[in-house]
Amino acid sequence: MLQQIRRFGAVIATGLMLALAAPAAAQQNSGYTMEEVVAQGHGFFGTAAGGLASVVEHAFQRFGLPNGYILGEEGAGAFVGGLRYGEGTLFTKNAGEHRLYWQGPSIGLDFGGDGARVMMLVYNLPSVENVYGRFGGVSGSAYIVGGIGMTVLQRDSVVIVPVKSGVGARLGINMGYLKITPTPTWNPF
């Protein structure tokens, strides 16, 4: 029953994300292949990455090759309104590695908290500076103890697809944004 609830929540969240996201634009030649991303994800998530390949494959089918990815960790909690904070490293083939931070508010029918390892696939990133700012979207969660899930966030032509594997107890759907900054801040707005 618990696994069915998780699957149902993941299907609903993925469907909402894909319905709200714009179609993929032409990718640059310096993109990461699915094999590269899955290998990095398995190394990063470890044994918790059971469903990682299918989630990443779904993102690749929808958006093509990412020209960057972020590996990091985040903590989040919600009781109708919520907050999340995280930090990680942006990896690009032609612009190197860059440390960054994210935070953001949300509002909706969402209750619980979680801590997660996060891999964010980044699409249509013309320069590192374009990753900084607010990316809006809708998110859904349905898990108790742990799970893996995918969200789609967008600002202009840049699309970010966070793939999370975490622990906690969370159920609901919310709207919000993720603000990515080059330095840490407690201000989610």
Side-chain angles (χ1 to χ4, degrees), residues 92-106:
T92 64
K93 285 193 174 184
N94 55 6
E97 301 176 10
H98 301 272
R99 191 78 179 153
L100 45 75
Y101 304 84
W102 61 89
Q103 51 281 318
S106 64

Side-chain angles (χ1 to χ4, degrees), residues 57-120:
E57 180 180 1
H58 190 69
F60 270 74
Q61 288 174 351
R62 176 74 173 130
F63 300 105
L65 299 177
N67 56 352
Y69 64 91
I70 299 167
L71 296 179
E73 298 177 345
E74 80 172 26
F79 184 78
V80 180
L83 293 173
R84 67 176 164 179
Y85 293 91
E87 63 181 86
T89 302
L90 168 66
F91 296 88
T92 64
K93 285 193 174 184
N94 55 6
E97 301 176 10
H98 301 272
R99 191 78 179 153
L100 45 75
Y101 304 84
W102 61 89
Q103 51 281 318
S106 64
I107 189 162
L109 297 173
D110 191 13
F111 305 93
D114 63 274
R117 288 187 149 218
V118 182
M119 171 185 263
M120 298 185 196

Side-chain angles (χ1 to χ4, degrees), residues 74-187:
E74 80 172 26
F79 184 78
V80 180
L83 293 173
R84 67 176 164 179
Y85 293 91
E87 63 181 86
T89 302
L90 168 66
F91 296 88
T92 64
K93 285 193 174 184
N94 55 6
E97 301 176 10
H98 301 272
R99 191 78 179 153
L100 45 75
Y101 304 84
W102 61 89
Q103 51 281 318
S106 64
I107 189 162
L109 297 173
D110 191 13
F111 305 93
D114 63 274
R117 288 187 149 218
V118 182
M119 171 185 263
M120 298 185 196
L121 306 176
V122 183
Y123 296 91
N124 306 320
L125 186 64
S127 69
V128 173
E129 291 74 33
N130 289 86
V131 79
Y132 301 123
R134 290 177 178 83
F135 292 84
V138 176
S139 180
S141 301
Y143 61 89
I144 297 175
V145 179
I148 193 161
M150 177 182 101
T151 307
V152 177
L153 304 169
Q154 184 170 0
R155 187 186 79 229
D156 300 326
S157 65
V158 179
V159 175
I160 296 181
V161 180
V163 177
K164 294 172 49 170
S165 176
V167 295
R170 191 124 181 213
L171 178 63
I173 187 165
N174 64 56
M175 291 178 22
Y177 62 81
L178 188 69
K179 180 177 76 172
I180 299 177
T181 58
T183 57
T185 178
W186 286 104
N187 182 3

